[in-house]
Amino acid sequence: MAPAAGSEVAAAVAEAHRLEWAFVLAATVRVAGDIDAAEEAVQDAYAGALATWGTRGIPANPGAWLTVAARRRALDMLRRAATARRALPKLLDPDGNHYEDPGADTAEIPDDRLRLIFTCCHPALAQDAQVALTLRLLCGLSTADIARAFLVTEATMAARITRAKKKIAAAHIPYRVPEGEELRERVDCVLSVVFLVFTTGHTAPSGAELMRRDLAERGHELARMLRVLLPGNRDVAGLLALVLLTDARKDARLDGHGGLVLLEDQDRSQWDRPAIAEGVALLREALGRRPPGRFALMAAIAAVHDESASWSDTDWQEILGLYELLAETWSSPVVKLNRAIAVGFAVGYEEGLAELDALGAEPQLARYPYLAAARADFLARMGRHDDARLAFEEALILTGNDAERRYLLARLNGPTG
């Protein structure tokens, strides 16, 4: 391998962090037997890449290089710190083995990621902690980004993640995919995690780009892996349908300059029709469950949009009815917000605005930029431009995504802002 310039190395390491973090960490946990130790070993591997790739060259497969380096580092830590190792609670390997050969074939890494998800989603942890921990460990998201996704402060999220890791270690939670009834009991949480991974990539909570394609693709891939693992599970079918029906619109969400294009203004000829067809087929299977699960209902809403010939042809009455059903089983603040928006298009902007204003009392939505943005949009459509500008300014303050910020700024300074 030829030596590389510092800027090339920095870019390669950053790209490897974005794409390979979950692969490397999931494989290293099996060696370290402890999440904190695995994270430390992986961080050392990335630091080692920064120090050595400049003189030795950037490897053809950075993920494999980092995995081997991290596993060797973890094994070295175990060998050199036997006393400390005995003091740390360990994750139990289902086969009774504590560590593996770090140079072993990495072909099982996707399975390792499933093991890591099921470990993080153990019922000993609260569900919010399960999701947050998986986003941190499996996706490498920063604590700040996870806090944004959960609508809590960064300090609160940091404490939640720390407590979850300590609980996993103290409870000797096994690092494996459960079987039988235990597997079925854990699926709902795992589906929530995979869905959040996908949505965090579909619209990034912060950063320069609207989407984080690596996270969206990871969520898509994990949903497909779960489908293979649980082929008869209708909730899994519903999740994969939702992912497909939502992701099918990705190419139309950005203009030629990386700017946000709302659903209303998208070129529907750019939508991925084969993905929509696959999603609709899975949706039919998911709706076979009575009552339908939340992912099936969300997928059904996405399908109404995908199958509408144009924005004006959208059946908002059907969408509102689906949101009513969804709210009966999963009345989250975000579902309430989306239902209020559906009221605005199905019944009238004034009625939708009244529903949005009522949601202003929801503590979890107090700093949620999409509430302010939705109010601004309805106010603008109603011709209340001074009120709309105030709401757009509020949304601008709250959003952490640059593409969304540019869109809001354009609306604020536009003729209907």
Side-chain angles (χ1 to χ4, degrees):
M1 294 180 286
S7 59
E8 291 179 276
V9 171
V13 172
E15 183 73 353
H17 184 274
R18 191 174 68 86
L19 297 176
E20 309 288 355
W21 172 269
F23 291 85
V24 179
L25 180 64
T28 306
V29 170
R30 294 181 67 182
V31 176
D34 177 90
I35 289 174
D36 280 333
E39 278 197 289
E40 183 179 342
V42 173
Q43 288 163 0
D44 285 351
Y46 276 92
L50 278 172
T52 61
W53 287 3
T55 54
R56 298 183 183 177
I58 299 170
N61 187 337
W65 189 97
L66 287 161
T67 299
V68 171
R71 295 171 103 184
R72 284 180 174 157
R73 174 62 178 142
L75 188 58
D76 186 56
M77 290 164 63
L78 288 170
R79 286 171 172 160
R80 294 190 177 201
T83 301
R85 190 178 71 239
R86 284 194 295 273
L88 291 172
K90 303 299 181 295
L91 294 171
L92 301 177
D93 186 285
D95 300 322
N97 301 318
H98 183 56
Y99 58 80
E100 300 175 341
D101 176 4
D105 188 356
T106 58
E108 293 186 9
I109 285 175
D111 290 338
D112 282 337
R113 285 180 298 160
L114 271 183
R115 289 189 187 94
L116 190 54
I117 286 182
F118 276 96
T119 301
C120 294
C121 296
H122 194 277
L125 303 177
Q127 190 171 54
D128 282 356
Q130 295 169 344
V131 178
L133 190 61
T134 303
L135 288 172
R136 176 73 187 92
L137 296 180
L138 205 75
C139 304
L141 258 65
S142 70
T143 303
D145 275 354
I146 301 170
R148 283 178 182 274
F150 276 81
L151 311 178
V152 300
T153 67
E154 185 174 349
T156 298
M157 183 52 64
R160 188 177 299 174
I161 291 172
T162 298
R163 285 196 301 272
K165 287 198 289 189
K166 287 182 176 176
K167 195 161 189 175
I168 284 177
H172 295 268
I173 290 174
Y175 178 53
R176 63 176 173 82
V177 177
E179 297 178 348
E181 186 61 28
E182 185 184 5
L183 174 61
R184 285 184 283 277
E185 290 173 354
R186 301 263 290 280
V187 164
D188 188 59
C189 179
V190 172
L191 296 183
S192 296
V193 171
V194 174
F195 177 58
L196 264 175
V197 170
F198 173 76
T199 55
T200 303
H202 184 68
T203 301
S206 63
E209 307 295 333
L210 177 65
M211 293 178 274
R212 277 195 58 180
R213 290 306 310 161
D214 57 322
L215 288 184
E217 289 167 5
R218 198 166 295 158
H220 189 155
E221 179 183 321
L222 289 170
R224 284 201 181 279
M225 291 169 67
L226 287 168
R227 173 74 174 166
V228 172
L229 184 67
L230 300 166
N233 188 298
R234 287 174 174 166
D235 288 328
V236 173
L239 174 67
L240 183 54
L242 176 59
V243 167
L244 285 164
L245 292 165
T246 305
D247 209 35
R249 302 192 288 263
K250 64 179 183 298
D251 290 341
R253 296 183 70 216
L254 296 172
D255 61 23
H257 306 286
L260 167 64
V261 181
L262 294 186
L263 181 62
E264 181 175 2
D265 302 315
Q266 289 177 12
D267 177 359
R268 298 180 181 223
S269 69
Q270 295 184 33
W271 290 2
D272 185 342
R273 293 297 164 184
I276 291 172
E278 183 183 359
V280 169
L282 283 163
L283 174 60
R284 292 194 182 101
E285 177 183 333
L287 289 175
R289 172 185 158 181
R290 290 291 180 270
R294 59 183 167 122
F295 294 114
L297 290 170
M298 287 190 285
I301 292 166
V304 173
H305 285 298
D306 286 358
E307 294 185 319
S308 299
S310 66
W311 175 260
S312 60
D313 288 333
T314 305
D315 188 342
W316 284 102
Q317 292 294 341
E318 183 175 0
I319 289 176
L320 178 57
L322 289 166
Y323 272 119
E324 300 281 6
L325 285 174
L326 182 59
E328 289 176 6
T329 58
W330 191 42
S331 186
S332 77
V334 174
V335 169
K336 291 177 183 176
L337 171 61
N338 290 332
R339 180 194 160 278
I341 293 170
V343 169
F345 288 111
V347 181
Y349 301 139
E350 189 170 341
E351 289 79 2
L353 182 63
E355 297 267 352
L356 292 173
D357 286 342
L359 292 176
E362 290 270 354
Q364 288 181 288
L365 293 177
R367 297 188 60 77
Y368 196 52
Y370 301 121
L371 174 58
R375 289 191 68 255
D377 183 64
F378 280 169
L379 287 164
R381 291 175 189 270
M382 295 164 64
R384 293 171 54 182
H385 299 303
D386 289 342
D387 293 333
R389 276 190 281 274
L390 286 174
F392 276 126
E393 288 173 353
E394 180 185 351
L396 265 169
I397 291 171
L398 296 176
T399 188
N401 182 284
D402 290 349
E404 291 183 332
R405 189 177 289 117
R406 290 195 299 273
Y407 169 82
L408 292 168
L409 196 58
R411 289 292 304 268
L412 176 64
N413 295 325
T416 60

